[in-house]
Amino acid sequence: MPLTNISRWILYAVLLLACLPAQARIFTFTAIPDVDETRLIERFTQVAEYLSQQLAIEVRYLPVKSYPAAVTAFRNNQVQLAWFGGLTGVQARRLLPGSKAIAQGEEDQYFKSYFIAHSSTGLTLAEQLPAGIKGMTFSFGSKSSTSGRLMPEFYLRQQFQQTPEQLFSRVGFSGNHSRTIALVQSGAYQLGAVNYKAWEQQLRDGSINPNRVSVIWTTPAYPDYQWTVRGDVDAEWGQGFTEQLTRALLAMKDPALLDAFPRSAFVSASNADYTAILETAKAIGLID
Amino acid sequence: MSTLATNWPRYQLPRSLLGFLGLIAIAVICSLFADISVITRTPWHEFQQMLLGASTPALPPPALLAQAVLQTLAFAVVAVTLSAVAGFILSLMFAHRAVRIFCAVIRAVHELFWGLLVILLLGFHPLTGILAIAIPFSGIFAKVFAEIQEEARQTSPGNSLKQADSFSNFLYARWPLVKPHFSTYTLYRLECGLRSSTILGFIGLPTLGFYLESGFMQGDYSLVAGLLLLLYLLIGSIRYWAKLPLLPIYAVIASLYLWQPLSIEWSLLGNLLVDLTPAPIKQSSLDFLPWLLAIGRQEVLPGVINTLLISQIALAASGILALIFFPLVSQQFTPYWLRLTGHLLLVILRSTPELIIAFILLLLWGPSMLPAIAALAIHNGAIVGHLVGRYSNDIKLRRDAGRGFNRYSYEILPRVYRQFLAFLCYRWEVIIRESAILGLLGVHTLGFYIDNAFESFRLDVAILLIAITALMNIAVDSFSRWFRHRLHLQSSATARTPC
């Protein structure tokens, strides 16, 4: 019977696939794409070399594009360490119990977002968002960005007791901070919310025209980016590996390496530092 | 008196013309309800940057670039070859309703979403890229191959070979008739494959799109310009390097190049199944119905309405654009050197990712459905224009046939018209699927909500919304089948789908 033959071969193939030995893992990390993606690979490859020296094992950097893809790679053990944003870190640690936030940037302890506006709105820097923003058009950054979406939305809801869709005539998701700035500067959207570091970097680069777009409000401080490691790395790379890794991250002092993030230094962090982010995400309905 | 009246010649609009006018009428009605507005403030600075970038194209470092080009080609070649084979097998069973529905479902989902689903299981393995393209393409191949065979069956000498068994009938009577069509279609699909494989870079596979998206997202327009030029070159040159007999050879080489040991972790399959379980069932509460109703009210209903509004208007606009575009690349109208320019224009319009077109239009017009509609219309109009132009080349005109506009309206248009409508019907599904990726405009299509669900790891919601999209696709598919049969459209030689 030819059919039985075929099914037998399929069975063999499936068994063969299932029995393929898992190869020895190379310690791999990723970073969510955020600021200055174009030189991401180059810069993070240097970070991989640094970690490899410090830990005396092979370390590889896996470039990842989208936020959910970064979280998925972490959960699927394709990467064991990740430089996550506040929200993506919370999502990852919820999906993979046992994983730990181990270090954050000096600046991430008190991160903030800027609300920016096109000059035609006539808005200027103020202590509070003016009621006049109702009915304007507004752009967030990426949907899962802490500084470009989660916290700005949280403060909008807190002040106006409305969802962004109720508050504004149109709400867009530009994809990242640089696009938000370009769209607000061109007046395509009247308002936007961006990561303050991204704004300041572009201000230095000269790609922002202060006559066209300006900061109208700064959010209160909140915790953001952090290094998160899988809970099972000690089992694979030996007792105490997590501590060793944490020490290596905290000891990173070379400005060329720190520029990849860009941060001035790393300090230690724990899951508890991000409880506020988790609660905010729940309040907004991004996490059940 | 009465006999006279019944014998009176009555003028009747041709049915097919009515069909297209009907589509336009629907689009006009839709545009009354669509959210369309134009607000231009100060886009010129950004346009200046774009022009500056276009005049100083740049590329990533050679090693990375070489890898990106090879990966883009390899994914496309392997995926198109696999899906041509799978699509052919499926097309033989296309008489079964279940097979047709299966194919409509797998092609209803955008490559990017297939990519995100497969990543969950396989991670960033090359197989992820191959499957993300090959799964929807198999559905498309199956449909087109089935229609080509249907045409052949009506004309085939096999009808006089009734005694022969079905296999011999196929081999001797039908295969010779359909083979050239299969071959041209497969090569056309390769172009679509290259585009899809580029787009997969947007979610992190190491193709050209990876760097294209980085450049675009950072406003590095020199990089964008360089990579787009390269993409145009790859797509424009397909006819010189791609031949059907070479395709399997390319596919083998590409598979060897892409090959990486695959170790599936079966625990991931468990994760996936848990993720796909609807939230209320997971929490074993009894709120399944309220959960379903809430999604229905907040996401499905607005999603379906917006998707329909956008796609109906974009469909009619694509048709009008295609009628304008096709003479640019048709031998019937345009001399060789000018036609090259026309080809260049259409390659640019159909290969520039819609995301980028939409962004430019968003800068110009501000957020509304308009940039989304225009981006879809430009992309699809250029594809239909290209296909109709190529089809028109086969028409043999009399020596004394009219020239210019007379030739266009009295000689060529009536002869390509049905074909044009057939192409347009094919694009319908595609437009619905592609409206998914324009979330940056703040337009809440079904795709926008699917993307939301992926971003917040609500796979249960994502699958539900994908199922709704698939249902819409099945409806559109059967409607366009009915429409085509009613208009007696021939889906012959060049009647090809979409990508």
Side-chain angles (χ1 to χ4, degrees), chain A:
Chain A
M1 291 289 272
L3 200 68
T4 348
N5 260 334
I6 291 170
S7 47
R8 195 184 301 154
W9 279 110
I10 292 174
L11 187 67
Y12 287 157
V14 169
L15 284 177
L16 195 69
L17 265 179
C19 298
L20 276 181
Q23 354 143 228
R25 235 181 262 288
I26 296 171
F27 188 73
T28 310
F29 75 95
T30 190
I32 59 162
D34 197 11
V35 178
D36 200 4
E37 284 181 42
T38 41
R39 294 182 53 217
L40 214 64
I41 296 184
E42 196 182 321
R43 291 175 164 187
F44 279 109
T45 310
Q46 288 173 4
V47 175
E49 279 162 18
Y50 165 83
L51 285 178
S52 176
Q53 269 170 11
Q54 294 286 309
L55 303 170
I57 52 168
E58 193 180 341
V59 178
R60 198 182 282 167
Y61 161 64
L62 178 78
V64 167
K65 262 281 130 108
S66 71
Y67 286 33
V71 174
T72 303
F74 181 78
R75 182 192 193 190
N76 290 5
N77 209 1
Q78 279 211 310
V79 300
Q80 291 75 41
L81 173 71
W83 173 246
F84 281 132
L87 175 59
T88 35
V90 165
Q91 285 173 329
R93 292 190 294 272
R94 267 173 65 94
L95 288 170
L96 190 72
S99 46
K100 291 188 277 280
I102 51 172
Q104 59 184 345
E106 172 76 31
E107 295 88 335
D108 293 302
Q109 305 168 78
Y110 27 80
F111 213 78
K112 56 196 177 185
S113 304
Y114 287 153
F115 278 68
I116 57 174
H118 187 251
S119 55
S120 65
T121 58
L123 299 174
T124 48
L125 188 60
E127 285 295 304
Q128 208 187 7
L129 282 171
I133 63 171
K134 280 183 189 169
M136 290 187 173
T137 56
F138 183 92
S139 180
F140 288 116
S142 167
K143 285 175 184 168
S144 301
S145 167
T146 307
S147 53
R149 199 264 172 101
L150 178 76
M151 295 318 290
E153 176 164 350
F154 174 73
Y155 291 116
L156 282 171
R157 284 175 184 245
Q158 197 179 49
Q159 185 178 338
F160 295 95
Q161 299 295 318
Q162 280 183 313
T163 66
E165 282 75 15
Q166 291 165 336
L167 184 61
F168 299 114
S169 59
R170 286 201 179 81
V171 178
F173 292 91
S174 71
N176 79 349
H177 307 298
S178 159
R179 296 296 82 189
T180 306
I181 296 173
L183 286 170
V184 177
Q185 176 157 263
S186 74
Y189 283 98
Q190 291 168 291
L191 303 165
V194 294
N195 173 325
Y196 84 105
K197 284 214 147 250
W199 171 269
E200 280 166 7
Q201 191 176 356
Q202 283 198 234
L203 207 56
R204 277 197 302 277
D205 296 348
S207 54
I208 293 175
N209 178 351
N211 296 327
R212 290 265 176 263
V213 56
S214 58
V215 175
I216 60 162
W217 188 59
T218 307
T219 63
Y222 53 83
D224 204 344
Y225 297 75
Q226 85 296 147
W227 285 106
T228 294
V229 70
R230 287 177 62 97
D232 54 9
V233 285
D234 283 6
E236 193 144 357
W237 280 277
Q239 205 66 45
F241 180 79
T242 308
E243 281 158 48
Q244 212 185 335
L245 176 66
T246 313
R247 274 201 301 278
L249 290 171
L250 297 183
M252 202 187 292
K253 298 287 182 232
D254 183 356
L257 296 179
L258 290 168
D259 258 7
F261 297 94
R263 293 294 181 268
S264 57
F266 289 116
V267 298
S268 61
S270 71
N271 291 3
D273 293 339
Y274 293 89
T275 318
I277 295 284
L278 175 63
E279 293 310 319
T280 310
K282 280 185 180 168
I284 291 181
L286 288 177
I287 287 181
D288 291 317

Side-chain angles (χ1 to χ4, degrees), chain A residues 65 78 144 170 187-188 285, chain B residues 35 41 124 210 214 455 458:
Chain A
K65 262 281 130 108
Q78 279 211 310
S144 301
R170 286 201 179 81
Chain B
D35 166 25
R41 291 196 180 91
F124 287 89
F210 187 94
S214 291
E455 289 267 348
R458 291 184 175 122

Side-chain angles (χ1 to χ4, degrees), chain B residues 61-134:
Chain B
L64 293 178
L65 180 68
Q67 193 208 14
V69 171
L70 289 176
Q71 296 261 353
T72 308
L73 287 169
F75 282 141
V77 166
V78 176
V80 169
T81 311
L82 280 181
S83 50
V85 174
F88 175 70
I89 296 170
L90 284 170
S91 76
L92 298 178
M93 303 178 277
F94 218 64
H96 298 287
R97 196 181 173 79
V99 174
R100 280 206 305 276
I101 289 178
F102 172 73
C103 290
V105 168
I106 59 176
R107 64 174 191 264
V109 183
H110 196 277
E111 292 96 290
L112 281 182
F113 295 143
W114 273 122
L116 286 172
L117 280 175
V118 182
I119 280 183
L120 291 174
L121 200 57
L122 303 181
F124 287 89
H125 189 272
L127 201 56
T128 301
I130 293 171
L131 289 179
I133 305 176

